Amino acid sequence: MAGLELLSDQGYRVDGRRAGELRKIQARMGVFAQADGSAYIEQGNTKALAVVYGPHEIRGSRARALPDRALVNCQYSSATFSTGERKRRPHGDRKSCEMGLQLRQTFEAAILTQLHPRSQIDIYVLQADGGTYAACVNAATLAVLDAGIPMRDFVCACSAGFVDGTALADLSHVEEAAGGPQLALALLPASGQIALLEMDARLHEDHLERVLEAAAQAARDVHTLLDRVVRQHVREASILLGD
Amino acid sequence: MKETPLSNCERRFLLRAIEEKKRLDGRQTYDYRNIRISFGTDYGCCIVELGKTRVLGQVSCELVSPKLNRATEGILFFNLELSQMAAPAFEPGRQSDLLVKLNRLMERCLRNSKCIDTESLCVVAGEKVWQIRVDLHLLNHDGNIIDAASIAAIVALCHFRRPDVSVQGDEVTLYTPEERDPVPLSIHHMPICVSFAFFQQGDPNPTYLLVDPNEREERVMDGLLVIAMNKHREICTIQSSGGIMLLKDQVLRCSKIAGVKVAEITELILKALENDQKVRKEGGKFGFAESIANQRITAFKMEKAPIDTSDVEEKAEEIIAEAEPPSEVVSTPVLWTPGTAQIGEGVENSWGDLEDSEKEDDEGGGDQAIILDGIKMDTGVEVSDIGSQDAPIILSDSEEEEMIILEPDKNPKKIRTQTTSAKQEKAPSKKPVKRRKKKRAAN
């Protein structure tokens, strides 16, 4: 779309945010009673739902069991009504497979798998919007916490872009479709370690540091929000139990 | 076939070597293996060899109708296949994870970075566009498939020529290669992937990294970071995988290293393309058959492996000082290769002294006689021990004939006594006879 400026002269983006502002995040834990852990997160218009089962016995081939660690299995599925045009194949296509692999890699690093040898942890994410990897990871973090599986730290993710010399945090669909560089970062906030880093489109090397910093800061802001959500949930649960 | 698991000692060996900044093939931590690019007879076909990893790239084109939401752009299609000949672990059904990862990385690196001008592939807007298809086949897996595949894809795309098309009003004419020379694709820039392997040793942060891991190093690595850059130092793709935790400054450092490496590789690619262009223009022979070197064994030659010899003298002196002196020193060691025999020891011909030697045959000939097979049976250990001290004594164990070598008395007994045990000297005459009998029985 010609004439669409992603960053106006006053520093406002298309949806009225400033460069470093996140979209509104709302999250709820314990959405499903059946699953061991579940969470729902809304990040702007992107809605993601994550469900966790485990740790439980290895299903399928026993040969895949690792003797000293748990196996983490992730599946990503994007609803057919999520994007502008109806998607034909919700799962099994390459992009979903790749997303599943990346989620798995992120959480294998974050979950203390040594505590549950020979077991399996399943994470299923359903995304209802052509949104980003970040919402999936945030939803999955909350779901894993809801299931009570021990993790090193929160895994908070955020996307970042670069337009006109400024780094933008938390890209919306319009900004992504414009084709500029996009960076997705999953961070463990306390130590600052990067669990996953992914970038598309051309970005000059000199700007990399700024974009990384913007994404890291945004991920830390997400962490504050998620932390609040978790504490709220625990408080509600303890009130209901009558403590 | 299932992949053979890596043994623990091999794993430990590799990790220890990496801790000491040593690699099995003698490279430094930031060194790439040798890259060789060869072209086929058709345009758009190339083989890239990164060390022993080999990838074949082929580009082809077709006129199709465009996608609905992108009516004025051509279509780019990438496909990387892990051929079953690349590694025994690659089987038709088994490779999905790795395959998905590699394919997605290739797609993101080449398509999203817009290295090819897709608008130039449009022939008639909304009706006919060129679909460029890049097929990559992994022929041999020796680590770092991504780098080799990205180089092969870019080289094949740069090398490819599509048929010329002209549009006049409503008429579209497609010229065959004979009518008009085929036209190269318009390529904005050349993104090349650089892989970094990370090794975590105890610390939570990965402390060691290697560029261009080979297959063994890939098996023991903890994580991989792939950075795709072009020579203008624009980052096209970053992908971290394998579940390691990175720090921001590590990523920045890797991007700097990648910048340097990409510049070198791009130069190499341009040179290779230029050479091929020149050969084709001059009418010389080109193609894969020409690029395979003529293998004639003119000399026994081994590839040189760079070895650090700076402290060899000190080490050699240490070893010599600490070693025990050899028990016996032989002035002229004897070397008998299989199938040969020796009568005498290269000294004066003593056949004239027949009478003397016959007498000695009965009495003292035994302790000087050698039946080669017999000795092998009894004193196998001693022979080898002595062999290590005075290397060149090798006794042939040819079973064609019994070979008895008689020595006249005046010759130094040194060699004989060494190769025969003390026992044999004590029972000289009988033993040889016994062994002869044994041998006949065996025969």
Side-chain angles (χ1 to χ4, degrees):
Chain A
M1 289 202 286
L4 181 70
E5 351 174 74
L6 293 175
L7 193 68
S8 76
D9 300 324
Q10 288 88 32
Y12 289 109
R13 288 148 79 169
V14 178
D15 46 3
R17 289 183 283 153
R18 290 215 165 261
E21 262 184 66
L22 299 174
R23 292 176 287 179
K24 181 172 183 195
I25 297 183
Q26 285 175 312
R28 279 219 20 227
M29 293 167 66
V31 181
F32 294 131
Q34 188 80 310
D36 291 332
S38 56
Y40 171 74
I41 195 170
E42 264 184 49
Q43 216 170 323
N45 275 333
T46 303
K47 301 162 176 58
L49 191 59
V51 162
V52 170
Y53 289 97
H56 56 78
E57 279 283 322
I58 302 264
R59 304 248 172 81
S61 58
R62 284 289 161 81
R64 289 195 325 160
L66 297 165
D68 59 338
R69 294 186 274 137
L71 198 70
V72 178
N73 179 33
C74 288
Q75 233 182 48
Y76 165 84
S77 160
S78 145
T80 49
F81 46 80
S82 55
T83 45
E85 295 166 8
R86 194 185 172 87
K87 272 184 68 149
R88 207 70 64 76
R89 273 180 80 181
H91 50 77
D93 65 330
R94 268 188 198 161
K95 224 165 171 185
S96 315
C97 276
E98 190 204 14
M99 190 72 92
L101 283 176
Q102 287 178 343
L103 282 172
R104 173 170 161 203
Q105 166 205 322
T106 317
F107 281 94
E108 250 180 25
I111 296 178
L112 294 170
T113 43
Q114 271 85 3
L115 295 178
H116 301 282
R118 311 191 71 90
S119 63
Q120 183 178 335
I121 300 172
D122 298 315
I123 305 179
Y124 297 110
V125 181
L126 171 69
Q127 174 103 322
D129 190 2
T132 64
Y133 159 81
C136 290
V137 169
N138 295 332
T141 303
L142 287 178
V144 170
L145 286 172
D146 190 37
I149 297 172
M151 285 212 294
R152 289 208 173 85
D153 193 359
F154 276 75
V155 183
C156 302
C158 196
S159 56
F162 193 76
V163 169
D164 286 345
T166 332
L168 306 175
D170 197 8
L171 302 173
S172 64
H173 181 65
V174 173
E175 287 159 345
E176 275 183 10
Q182 308 159 25
L183 183 96
L185 179 77
L187 189 72
L188 271 64
S191 48
Q193 289 173 328
I194 300 172
L196 185 126
L197 177 62
E198 198 188 34
M199 206 197 80
D200 281 339
R202 287 150 68 179
L203 175 71
H204 198 272
E205 194 194 330
D206 300 335
H207 306 309
L208 179 64
E209 186 172 359
R210 250 185 296 168
V211 179
L212 271 179
E213 189 48 51
Q217 183 56 42
R220 269 176 241 133
D221 295 336
V222 170
H223 166 67
T224 341
L225 282 163
L226 292 184
D227 190 63
R228 208 183 301 159
V229 168
V230 172
R231 283 180 204 271
Q232 177 70 21
H233 177 77
V234 169
R235 209 175 302 138
E236 278 175 19
S238 57
I239 289 172
L240 286 173
L241 285 172
D243 276 342
Chain B
M1 291 196 326
K2 225 178 160 188
E3 215 173 54
T4 30
L6 200 62
S7 60
N8 280 343
C9 41
E10 200 170 357
R11 179 182 296 264
R12 244 178 285 137
F13 175 69
L14 284 164
L15 290 175
R16 280 276 299 277
I18 289 165
E19 267 178 59
E20 299 177 10
K21 303 233 187 257
K22 292 207 172 94
R23 294 173 86 162
L24 279 190
D25 44 9
R27 290 186 277 158
Q28 300 293 319
T29 42
Y30 298 156
D31 278 353
Y32 254 83
R33 289 171 281 180
N34 282 337
I35 302 178
R36 248 192 99 220
I37 302 176
S38 45
F39 296 95
T41 39
D42 290 333
Y43 279 114
C45 183
C46 73
I47 289 189
V48 170
E49 289 173 53
L50 178 64
K52 293 209 185 120
T53 303
R54 236 190 251 213
V55 178
L56 167 76
Q58 173 75 56
V59 177
S60 53
C61 66
E62 206 188 2
L63 276 175
V64 295
S65 36
K67 286 196 188 146
L68 292 171
N69 55 350
R70 301 216 188 269
T72 53
E73 289 183 13
I75 303 175
L76 267 178
F77 182 69
F78 295 97
N79 188 28
L80 170 70
E81 270 181 33
L82 303 173
S83 160
Q84 277 78 54
M85 68 173 97
F90 293 156
E91 270 174 26
R94 242 184 221 247
Q95 338 151 353
S96 40
D97 273 1
L98 183 62
L99 196 62
V100 166
K101 199 176 94 161
L102 293 172
N103 267 300
R104 280 295 298 158
L105 197 56
M106 291 303 305
E107 266 184 35
R108 282 166 48 208
C109 168
L110 292 164
R111 189 185 290 154
N112 294 3
S113 65
K114 299 203 177 32
C115 61
I116 295 199
D117 184 11
T118 42
E119 299 242 351
S120 70
L121 298 174
C122 178
V123 176
V124 178
E127 285 176 31
K128 287 268 175 236
V129 297
W130 284 111
Q131 178 188 47
I132 305 286
R133 189 194 162 102
V134 183
D135 282 298
L136 300 163
H137 289 262
L138 180 70
L139 300 176
N140 191 37
H141 178 31
D142 195 28
N144 205 2
I145 303 174
I146 299 172
D147 289 13
S150 78
I151 297 176
I154 269 299
V155 169
L157 284 168
C158 289
H159 192 243
F160 180 63
R161 307 274 180 270
R162 65 167 172 82
D164 199 4
V165 174
S166 73
V167 182
Q168 275 150 350
D170 266 344
E171 243 185 63
V172 177
T173 340
L174 177 64
Y175 296 105
T176 59
E178 288 84 33
E179 292 171 14
R180 270 209 208 170
D181 272 344
V183 170
L185 300 172
S186 77
I187 297 182
H188 292 311
H189 63 101
M190 304 207 284
I192 295 178
C193 295
V194 177
S195 304
F196 298 87
F198 282 90
F199 300 87
Q200 252 164 338
Q201 297 290 64
D203 287 355
N205 299 334
T207 39
Y208 304 101
L209 75 79
L210 294 178
V211 174
D212 187 21
N214 67 16
E215 207 250 329
R216 293 284 132 176
E217 290 161 356
E218 266 188 4
R219 286 229 214 168
V220 297
M221 76 180 173
D222 291 308
L224 186 72
L225 177 69
V226 179
I227 300 185
M229 277 175 87
N230 61 23
K231 68 171 186 210
H232 308 291
R233 293 185 57 231
E234 289 174 338
I235 301 178
C236 303
T237 304
I238 300 183
Q239 170 87 47
S240 82
S241 60
I244 31 141
M245 300 293 185
L246 297 171
L247 290 176
K248 199 174 71 157
D249 55 335
Q250 280 167 338
V251 176
L252 293 171
R253 198 163 25 118
C254 288
S255 71
K256 288 198 179 59
I257 299 170
V260 173
K261 293 293 157 191
V262 165
E264 288 170 13
I265 297 176
T266 313
E267 236 183 78
L268 201 103
I269 293 178
L270 290 173
K271 228 192 311 180
L273 283 166
E274 221 182 273
N275 278 349
D276 181 73
Q277 186 73 352
K278 213 172 24 160
V279 169
R280 280 178 203 257
K281 228 197 265 187
E282 290 168 3
K285 291 198 196 154
F286 48 86
F288 288 134
E290 291 309 310
S291 55
I292 298 174
N294 229 353
Q295 289 182 337
R296 255 177 279 134
I297 302 178
T298 52
F300 180 64
K301 192 179 129 189
M302 245 176 61
E303 258 183 40
K304 293 185 204 165
I307 300 177
D308 183 14
T309 53
S310 50
D311 55 353
V312 161
E313 277 185 30
E314 296 158 4
K315 279 199 180 155
E317 279 171 14
E318 274 176 36
I319 294 171
I320 293 173
E322 288 169 23
E324 288 169 6
S327 52
E328 283 255 13
V329 184
V330 181
S331 51
T332 52
V334 174
L335 186 76
W336 293 329
T337 53
T340 60
Q342 187 180 12
I343 303 176
E345 265 199 302
V347 296
E348 261 186 44
N349 190 335
S350 58
W351 281 40
D353 315 327
L354 267 175
E355 294 149 4
D356 295 340
S357 53
E358 267 182 80
K359 283 181 208 158
E360 280 155 15
D361 193 13
D362 295 328
E363 298 162 358
D367 64 339
Q368 292 160 20
I370 294 175
I371 300 172
L372 303 176
D373 293 314
I375 284 174
K376 270 269 172 164
M377 281 193 277
D378 283 312
T379 61
V381 178
E382 277 130 304
V383 169
S384 60
D385 272 348
I386 291 155
S388 62
Q389 283 182 12
D390 319 305
I393 298 181
I394 296 176
L395 302 178
S396 156
D397 58 67
S398 71
E399 293 191 79
E400 297 160 359
E401 353 164 322
E402 309 162 351
M403 283 182 274
I404 307 168
I405 296 185
L406 305 176
E407 288 303 321
D409 221 345
K410 56 190 175 195
N411 283 339
K413 288 188 184 179
K414 280 188 198 161
I415 294 174
R416 297 295 159 258
T417 51
Q418 274 182 327
T419 52
T420 66
S421 67
K423 285 185 278 178
Q424 284 181 328
E425 283 183 64
K426 286 172 196 165
S429 46
K430 285 190 181 172
K431 271 204 174 176
V433 178
K434 275 189 194 161
R435 282 193 214 121
R436 257 181 258 166
K437 284 186 183 163
K438 272 192 206 164
K439 240 216 119 195
R440 280 188 195 136
N443 285 349

